[in-house]
Each structure stands twice: as structure tokens, then as C-alpha cells.
């Protein structure tokens, strides 16, 4: 599996796509059971994603019945918000 890569053509920066699970997660377990790299685990309130292990394949996004998994907004080296 290859990580999903985002490229900012204007600045030539590359970053890895990461996801986060939101509060509308109903802890059904579909994402955890089907994650090819096993980076999803039960958290205190809902499932969580271990960002360092995630390859950005999007399997969890397509399986979530509640649309609770979205790209995580992160800040790049310039401080700009990226997805």
C-alpha cells in the first residue's frame, strides 16, 4: 500500500493524507476491522486513528455508515492549513 500524497504545485511541498474520526462515530467497528494496516483502535469516546501508521488509503472513509471519517486538517512547515 502506498500513502495518499498531496502536492502543492505552487510551492512544491508534499504531505501525507491523514484522517480523523469525528464525534458522530457510532463505534460500529467497520473501520477497525477493515483497515489494511491496523491503525484504527477504540478510543475513550469513539474510534481513533494512529496517524503515524495510517497510509491514507481511504478504506475507512468508504466503509463508515455515519460519514464520521474525514481528512485531517494539518499545518505544513509554513503554517498554512492543508488537508
Amino acid at each position: 500500500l502506498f500513502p495518499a500524497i498531496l502536492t502543492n504545485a505552487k510551492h512544491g511541498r508534499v504531505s501525507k493524507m491523514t484522517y480523523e474520526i469525528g464525534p458522530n462515530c457510532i463505534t460500529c467497528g467497520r473501520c477497525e476491522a477493515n483497515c489494511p494496516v491496523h491503525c484504527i483502535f477504540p478510543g475513550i469516546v469513539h474510534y481513533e486513528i494512529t496517524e503515524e501508521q495510517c497510509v491514507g488509503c481511504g478504506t475507512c472513509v468508504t466503509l463508515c455508515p455515519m460519514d464520521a471519517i474525514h481528512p485531517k486538517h494539518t499545518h505544513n512547515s509554513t503554517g498554512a492549513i492543508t488537508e
Side-chain angles (χ1 to χ4, degrees), residues 6-81:
L6 300 177
T7 303
N8 180 328
K10 182 177 179 183
H11 300 288
R13 292 188 176 86
V14 176
S15 61
K16 187 175 90 167
M17 169 71 83
T18 58
Y19 293 97
E20 62 186 346
I21 300 175
N24 53 334
C25 169
I26 58 170
T27 63
C28 68
R30 290 181 188 173
C31 57
E32 179 188 30
N34 292 284
C35 177
V37 294
H38 311 288
C39 69
I40 301 173
F41 63 96
I44 295 171
V45 178
H46 53 72
Y47 278 88
E48 302 286 340
I49 297 174
T50 304
E51 191 174 318
E52 298 79 21
Q53 285 181 261
C54 178
V55 294
C57 69
T59 299
C60 56
V61 176
T62 61
L63 293 173
C64 181
M66 300 305 293
D67 194 32
I69 305 171
H70 300 279
K72 182 176 182 179
H73 296 283
T74 58
H75 293 83
N76 64 20
S77 61
T78 64
I81 296 176

